[in-house]
Amino acid sequence: MRKFTSVHDLGDLQSALAEAFEIKRDRFQFTELGRNKTLLMIFFNSSLRTRLSTQKAAMNLGMNTMVLDVNQGAWKLETERGVVMDGDKPEHLLEAIPVMGCYCDIIGVRSFARFESKEDDYTEKIINQFIQYSGRPVFSMEAATGHPLQSFADLITIEEYKKTARPKVVMTWAPHPRALPQAVPNSFAEWMNATDYEFVITHPEGYELDPKFVGNARVEYDQRKAFEGADFIYAKNWAAYTDPNYGKVLSTDRSWTVDAEKMALTNNAYFMHCLPVRRNMIVTDDVIESPQSIVIPEAANREISAQTVLKKLLMGLK
Ligand code: CP
């Protein structure tokens, strides 16, 4: 594998899942694979889980790791070509990227949607420049339109907890005070569409996602109806995708918060969220603290998804 930005980069999904479970059984069985290989993790945005789980995954494989926080301690980077660089950004991404590629074997990039230009966000302008100019295999640690390491961990978690072969998985929009990218819901939808699960998306009108990611999902505007008989509830906020409201918060309606009364409509569903989560906006305290909440094992599986992806990228170096 030479890049990882989507479920389609993994090849056969069932084989990738089998590989993930093999790693989970013994995460130190491939420590020779990464010997003398260096992972560079580049963060344009903050992180807790991605930073720690990916670094741990690399260490499990015997890799050396370097972390660069672009906005703390590095030169500020200009990302636009053609700009007269007389402002506060002394270095251009077009030099910085190949230089970074000189010091490592694999590059992970976190670069969120900026909501300044829908075209720039949805053409993945930043991570695609790393793919084009670094000369190294590149993987997404959450880019503008996708968070595949999260979705892979989500899928591993569902496979571990599901009680039927074809569970009903419901992704629900929930309120949040700030505008959040569509990366997590886009990816989750993409990955659920790659399974044979029953997959439903529920959100208020105006929060329709890019049809490219929605795929064959059933979209249900009545949240309570969507919850009926669900085996998994996956909560997430996102800002509007459709024009002219791209990147805007249209609603903070707390009647969409996931609470115990709505969870009672489900088939004793497990509650999932990628974290960080705003309690009593996205989900009530009692639901996230309930035995049906699997947000911690879900986060733990981030190490497994990252290790599976890094292993495939390391094997692609040979
Ligand atoms: N879920 C997730 O990616 O968490 P971080 O933003 O903390 O990395």
Side-chain angles (χ1 to χ4, degrees):
M1 192 164 77
R2 286 292 297 178
K3 77 165 178 77
F4 177 70
T5 58
S6 141
V7 68
H8 306 296
D9 294 320
L10 278 184
D12 180 64
L13 188 53
Q14 291 310 316
S15 305
L17 273 171
E19 214 170 326
F21 286 119
E22 188 195 1
I23 285 169
K24 191 157 183 175
R25 273 191 295 280
D26 176 6
R27 61 196 76 192
F28 302 109
Q29 60 187 300
F30 302 109
T31 48
E32 278 304 303
L33 196 59
R35 197 150 73 92
N36 295 333
K37 296 284 186 282
T38 299
L39 169 65
L40 173 58
M41 301 163 64
I42 299 163
F43 288 92
F44 288 84
N45 307 96
S46 302
S47 167
L48 186 155
R49 278 144 291 273
T50 304
R51 176 184 297 253
L52 296 179
S53 62
T54 309
Q55 198 163 2
K56 177 65 165 60
M59 292 190 297
N60 294 348
L61 290 163
M63 298 185 81
N64 302 309
T65 63
M66 298 191 294
V67 181
L68 181 71
D69 289 297
V70 170
N71 297 319
Q72 289 168 22
W75 302 113
K76 276 193 185 171
L77 294 176
E78 178 57 63
T79 57
E80 295 300 314
R81 196 165 172 279
V83 166
V84 177
M85 289 174 59
D86 58 356
D88 66 341
K89 293 173 181 162
E91 177 144 31
H92 203 288
L93 204 58
L94 290 174
E95 283 78 54
I97 289 173
V99 168
M100 293 183 214
C102 294
Y103 306 139
C104 63
D105 300 284
I106 294 174
I107 299 180
V109 180
R110 166 161 285 202
S111 175
F112 291 171
R114 297 176 178 186
F115 289 147
E116 289 165 5
S117 155
K118 185 174 181 177
E119 191 192 335
D120 284 358
D121 291 341
Y122 271 73
T123 55
E124 289 288 7
K125 192 171 173 186
I126 301 295
I127 195 165
N128 277 336
Q129 290 190 79
F130 278 89
I131 291 168
Q132 194 173 352
Y133 298 118
S134 70
R136 301 294 176 202
V138 171
F139 67 98
S140 168
M141 298 195 299
E142 186 172 345
T145 66
H147 195 357
L149 284 177
Q150 179 65 53
S151 305
F152 193 9
D154 297 334
L155 178 59
I156 292 166
T157 310
I158 293 171
E159 284 293 301
E160 287 177 325
Y161 281 83
K162 73 180 187 184
K163 292 177 185 139
T164 57
R166 197 168 168 265
K168 178 178 176 182
V169 178
V170 177
M171 178 169 78
T172 181
W173 180 93
H176 192 284
R178 295 182 50 217
L180 297 187
Q182 296 99 24
V184 170
N186 282 346
S187 262
F188 189 71
E190 180 187 67
W191 286 65
M192 289 301 103
N193 274 302
T195 70
D196 62 356
Y197 303 163
E198 182 184 351
F199 180 47
V200 179
I201 304 175
T202 183
H203 56 71
E205 287 192 33
Y207 278 98
E208 291 77 11
L209 292 164
D210 183 344
K212 179 180 113 182
F213 295 103
V214 172
N216 296 322
R218 177 163 73 85
V219 176
E220 171 58 66
Y221 292 100
D222 181 336
Q223 191 190 34
R224 283 184 164 73
K225 201 168 161 195
F227 272 41
E228 285 169 10
D231 298 298
F232 293 88
I233 297 296
Y234 191 93
K236 186 70 186 87
N237 173 269
W238 62 89
Y241 164 76
T242 50
D243 295 324
N245 293 318
Y246 178 67
K248 290 189 184 150
V249 174
L250 305 179
S251 166
T252 54
D253 180 0
R254 283 171 55 198
S255 73
W256 278 78
T257 301
V258 177
D259 61 15
E261 182 250 319
K262 279 180 226 161
M263 289 300 284
L265 300 170
T266 70
N267 182 28
N268 199 24
Y270 289 109
F271 175 79
M272 300 179 72
H273 188 280
C274 63
L275 304 181
V277 68
R278 296 211 182 213
R279 284 178 174 224
N280 303 308
M281 288 292 295
I282 300 280
V283 58
T284 56
D285 289 321
D286 54 346
V287 169
I288 198 166
E289 291 170 7
S290 75
Q292 292 308 103
S293 170
I294 53 173
V295 296
I296 305 304
E298 180 185 0
N301 278 331
R302 290 294 306 277
E303 180 182 340
I304 305 305
S305 64
Q307 192 169 335
T308 309
V309 167
L310 282 171
K311 176 174 172 264
K312 284 176 165 292
L313 291 170
L314 282 168
M315 289 173 79
L317 294 177
K318 298 203 181 272

